[in-house]
Amino acid sequence: MSKAEILIIDDEPQIRRLLEIVLESNDYKVSIAEKGTLGIIAAANHPPDLILLDLGLPDMSGHDVLKELRIWYNRAIIILSVQSDEDDIVQALDNGATDYLTKPFRTAELLARIRSAIRRNFGGEDKSVVESGDLTIDLTARMVLKDSKLVKLTATEFNLLALLARNEGRVLTHQYLLKEIWGTGFQQETQYLRVFIGTLRKKIENDPNYPERIITESGVGYRFQSSL
Amino acid sequence: MLIEFIKKRQLRQILFSIAMILIVSLVCSILKTWLSYKGVALILLMGVSVLAMTFDLIPVLISATLSALIWNYFFIPPLFTFAIGNTDDILMFSLYFIVAMVNAVLTNKIRKAEQKARDREEKENEVKLYNTLLNSLSHELRTPIATIIGAVDILNINEKNLSVANKKELINEIGKAIARLARQVDNLLNISRLESGMLRPKHTWCDLTEMMHQMLNSLDEVERNRISIHADESLPLVKIDAGILEQIILNIIYNALAYTPEKSKICIYIEVLSGQCKFIIEDYGLGFPEKEIALVFDKFYRLPKSKTGGVGLGLSIVKGFVEALSGKVILENHQGGGARFILNFPVQTSYLRNLKNE
């Protein structure tokens, strides 16, 4: 397979340079745009496999860049944002961002997000069995095994776990999860989610206090992680 | 807006002054049998002086004039006329009027001078605070920056001569310095959010046990191992701004980690009662000197002789954030010798957790 191509849209030269070095040394082909308009043109001229998009751009809002890109571009877009704008992140995810990273981020995390987002470009989500260490989730048989032993889950617990596992590696917002599992009208009932995530963790995590599979993204949502 | 406010305030003062002079006059007219009209003048003058102590100039001048007229009309013979019988009384009336006016103007001047002195002192204090902040900040920010620059230089220049272990150690130091910088920047952002009044808590349902463990995960392993969490297995969910709460507890913990002996324990107790949640954080250091306890939440306050490092912002952020969540924080020393922070927040609770799920 040829090298995957990544377009970076960010106005900070230092961050751009750093990303470029990290990505090139990990065998990605990198192109760069320092403004939103330039980024949209670059993506249209030569569609990359993934776009890293900074939300704070000088010429136009990152949200608008995202919306314009999403009209025709359907591969992965990962948002870069400064810490503590949770509303910003949720809005970007609602507008079709694949994932997000907050600055400052760790390199290992960046690479993991990119790998998982590019994998999903090629229809990675159609798996019928998701594995994570000693945990096996059989989505068609609606069965969960931990350490080869059957884990008893209620219907709601299973639906929630299956939804997260099907979108493995990707953050799902509270609102999205509530709507998918409980239906419209429940989007504000985040306490349901907390409770069910809590009981799920007790059943599938080795240490529910330090979860390794269902990861909390504070103020945003949850993410299922398969590689420990 | 401001002008309107001043007008309203002055109108109120004028009305109040008139009422007061009338009441004093009334009392004097009742006491008239025992008082000469000269005594009445002194009592009225006292009324004007009392008003001058707190009121603006114009209301006081009005009350001085009014009292002079009342004295003349009702008390100086011949009564019920502004005419005055003898020269002595004319002199007295004129003097009364002048004394009342001078009294009003002088008192006002003194008050203005006092206000000016207070303002100056406040400004001086502000400058002093600002200097303290600059000094400690430049220390707190420059030390990690110096570490980073130094380590990067060594890595650049001596790249070939450095052992792998040394290189690793230098990189480690850079990492630590960055963590320290990040904490300082977080605190500065926190304080500016507090000062600007832009802190708007967003209360959402929060699993406290989960939040606490997530928070511990942000510390390094040595720090984490010193901390233990004691909470009931089935704490209900509470509605609170988890981000702000985390900053509060982190700041108390950073403080305890920095100022208690290495490896000494820090215990966190969490309790949710009806309508409120309570955190108790105990360390096993030396505690706080009793007479300093009231001061430690002040901005830039640092205990006398405390070791270098730190700006004195941490606990003032704790206090500001606790208030933003309508909570209370109490600091005391416990019998084990060490500090105990007690945090109380009013919260909505949800026992949904105890329901069976299908």
Side-chain angles (χ1 to χ4, degrees):
Chain A
M1 199 175 89
S2 65
K3 285 183 179 180
E5 298 188 15
I6 296 177
L7 170 63
I8 301 169
I9 308 177
D10 195 322
D11 63 314
E12 287 290 338
Q14 278 199 303
I15 300 273
R16 274 202 315 262
R17 187 74 198 110
L18 196 72
L19 286 172
E20 209 181 347
I21 293 171
V22 169
L23 295 177
E24 276 177 352
S25 63
N26 278 276
D27 237 13
Y28 292 105
K29 192 160 174 273
V30 180
S31 52
I32 277 171
E34 64 259 41
K35 282 184 186 172
T37 43
L38 297 176
I40 294 172
I41 295 169
N45 283 340
H46 186 81
D49 295 292
L50 180 144
I51 297 175
L52 283 175
L53 171 63
D54 182 28
L55 278 185
L57 293 169
D59 59 332
M60 58 192 286
S61 139
H63 290 289
D64 293 336
V65 178
L66 175 64
K67 276 187 219 154
E68 285 210 23
L69 285 171
R70 269 300 177 236
I71 295 171
W72 58 273
Y73 180 83
N74 54 15
R75 293 183 198 163
I77 300 178
I78 296 181
I79 295 297
L80 304 177
S81 124
V82 282
Q83 235 171 2
S84 76
D85 314 342
E86 284 144 11
D87 292 339
D88 244 23
I89 292 162
V90 171
Q91 191 193 338
L93 291 170
D94 284 345
N95 285 334
T98 317
D99 208 332
Y100 78 98
L101 281 161
T102 50
K103 293 176 185 174
F105 47 78
R106 308 314 292 252
T107 307
E109 208 176 354
L110 168 77
L111 292 172
R113 298 291 162 78
I114 289 177
R115 269 198 302 275
S116 126
I118 289 183
R119 206 184 316 130
R120 275 198 306 272
N121 274 344
F122 303 106
E125 53 246 74
D126 290 339
K127 273 193 274 184
S128 70
V129 176
V130 179
E131 286 184 13
S132 161
D134 61 358
L135 187 78
T136 310
I137 304 164
D138 190 328
L139 296 169
T140 31
R142 295 180 67 83
M143 201 171 67
V144 176
L145 295 173
K146 183 171 189 293
D147 211 3
S148 320
K149 283 194 275 294
L150 192 67
V151 180
K152 271 195 186 166
L153 296 179
T154 65
T156 312
E157 283 167 1
F158 182 83
N159 291 342
L160 184 57
L161 180 62
L163 181 59
L164 285 163
R166 229 177 277 128
N167 292 283
E168 175 240 309
R170 177 176 184 182
V171 62
L172 301 179
T173 61
H174 296 136
Q175 275 66 25
Y176 177 79
L177 289 167
L178 284 163
K179 190 170 151 255
E180 290 296 308
I181 304 293
W182 283 277
T184 31
F186 285 87
Q187 273 97 322
Q188 298 312 312
E189 308 292 335
T190 46
Q191 78 267 39
Y192 287 29
L193 210 49
R194 300 244 170 242
V195 169
F196 279 87
I197 294 286
T199 55
L200 254 181
R201 277 181 178 152
K202 281 200 185 110
K203 294 180 182 178
I204 65 162
E205 296 283 359
N206 293 324
D207 181 352
N209 284 331
Y210 294 100
E212 295 170 306
R213 282 156 184 147
I214 302 178
I215 306 300
T216 301
E217 299 287 345
S218 297
V220 178
Y222 294 96
R223 178 198 305 279
F224 187 86
Q225 194 167 267
S226 65
S227 49
L228 299 185
Chain B
M1 267 298 274
L2 191 67
I3 292 170
E4 239 170 67
F5 173 76
I6 291 172
K7 271 189 186 155
K8 236 187 199 165
R9 171 186 140 114
Q10 239 177 31
L11 190 69
R12 229 181 305 134
Q13 290 193 356
I14 290 172
L15 291 177
F16 188 87
S17 315
I18 293 174
M20 170 134 169
I21 295 298
L22 289 179
I23 290 167
V24 174
S25 313
L26 204 68
V27 172
C28 289
S29 72
I30 292 165
L31 300 173
K32 219 156 107 186
T33 5
W34 302 281
L35 268 180
S36 81
Y37 66 93
K38 288 170 188 165
V40 169
L42 289 177
I43 293 176
L44 281 171
L45 206 55
M46 190 195 73
V48 176
S49 308
V50 169
L51 290 174
M53 278 164 67
T54 47
F55 281 8
D56 296 346
L57 189 58
I58 293 172
V60 176
L61 289 180
I62 290 175
S63 60
T65 316
L66 180 70
S67 68
L69 293 177
I70 287 177
W71 183 51
N72 182 346
Y73 193 80
F74 292 100
F75 297 96
I76 302 179
L79 296 182
F80 308 116
T81 150
F82 288 112
I84 300 173
N86 60 51
T87 3
D88 224 20
D89 286 350
I90 292 176
L91 182 67
M92 263 197 61
F93 174 70
S94 315
L95 281 180
Y96 175 91
F97 195 76
I98 292 167
V99 169
M101 289 295 171
V102 167
N103 193 345
V105 174
L106 272 187
T107 320
N108 204 274
K109 259 196 184 156
I110 292 171
R111 270 176 41 215
K112 275 208 177 123
E114 264 178 358
Q115 182 64 40
K116 221 178 234 168
R118 254 203 307 275
D119 285 353
R120 199 178 318 122
E121 198 178 327
E122 225 162 72
K123 192 159 258 166
E124 270 166 18
N125 275 340
E126 234 164 64
V127 171
K128 221 193 276 169
L129 268 183
Y130 185 69
N131 283 336
T132 327
L133 171 69
L134 271 189
N135 281 338
S136 46
L137 251 193
S138 58
H139 175 264
E140 273 312 285
L141 295 178
R142 281 199 174 130
T143 313
I145 289 173
T147 313
I148 295 169
I149 292 176
V152 169
D153 279 350
I154 300 169
L155 285 169
N156 264 332
I157 299 163
N158 297 348
E159 214 211 324
K160 295 197 183 81
N161 310 336
L162 282 172
S163 68
V164 178
N166 277 340
K167 265 188 202 165
K168 224 172 170 163
E169 200 184 327
L170 284 171
I171 291 171
N172 225 336
E173 285 306 318
I174 295 175
K176 271 196 229 160
I178 290 170
R180 191 167 158 192
L181 267 181
R183 279 181 193 183
Q184 287 310 333
V185 170
D186 274 350
N187 265 354
L188 280 177
L189 290 176
N190 284 338
I191 208 88
S192 68
R193 279 206 291 164
L194 268 176
E195 302 266 288
S196 64
M198 292 302 282
L199 191 70
R200 304 251 154 70
K202 257 194 338 209
H203 298 281
T204 54
W205 289 107
C206 166
D207 182 333
L208 292 177
T209 326
E210 182 197 348
M211 188 213 94
M212 293 300 287
H213 284 98
Q214 217 182 355
M215 188 191 76
L216 289 193
N217 249 344
S218 73
L219 302 174
D220 72 43
E221 209 184 327
V222 183
E223 294 173 325
R224 194 161 53 232
N225 286 339
R226 291 176 57 184
I227 300 168
S228 59
I229 296 176
H230 308 264
D232 200 9
E233 263 272 306
S234 55
L235 280 182
L237 299 174
V238 302
K239 212 167 195 183
I240 200 163
D241 187 315
I244 296 180
L245 181 62
E246 185 176 324
Q247 286 299 317
I248 294 170
I249 294 170
L250 266 180
N251 267 305
I252 295 178
I253 290 176
Y254 286 156
N255 213 64
L257 286 170
Y259 298 106
T260 57
E262 262 176 68
K263 290 184 186 161
S264 71
K265 280 274 169 206
I266 296 165
C267 300
I268 305 175
Y269 303 87
I270 313 173
E271 241 176 60
V272 179
L273 308 159
S274 68
Q276 62 167 321
C277 76
K278 186 177 189 177
F279 294 82
I280 300 175
I281 301 163
E282 288 179 352
D283 66 40
Y284 291 87
L286 296 171
F288 287 84
E290 289 293 338
K291 60 174 196 266
E292 309 285 339
I293 281 183
L295 302 171
V296 297
F297 292 108
D298 289 353
K299 212 188 317 173
F300 308 127
Y301 183 80
R302 309 197 58 226
L303 286 185
K305 293 183 208 148
S306 57
K307 65 177 187 186
T308 58
V311 186
L313 282 181
L315 291 183
S316 74
I317 290 173
V318 166
K319 183 155 177 268
F321 276 20
V322 166
E323 280 163 6
L325 297 182
S326 319
K328 283 210 176 76
V329 53
I330 300 170
L331 168 60
E332 59 189 26
N333 292 322
H334 60 87
Q335 286 167 349
R340 175 193 282 145
F341 287 85
I342 304 169
L343 301 165
N344 254 309
F345 302 99
V347 287
Q348 249 177 288
T349 54
S350 164
Y351 282 87
L352 203 65
R353 162 174 304 242
N354 299 335
L355 295 177
K356 282 244 158 60
N357 73 68
E358 287 314 322

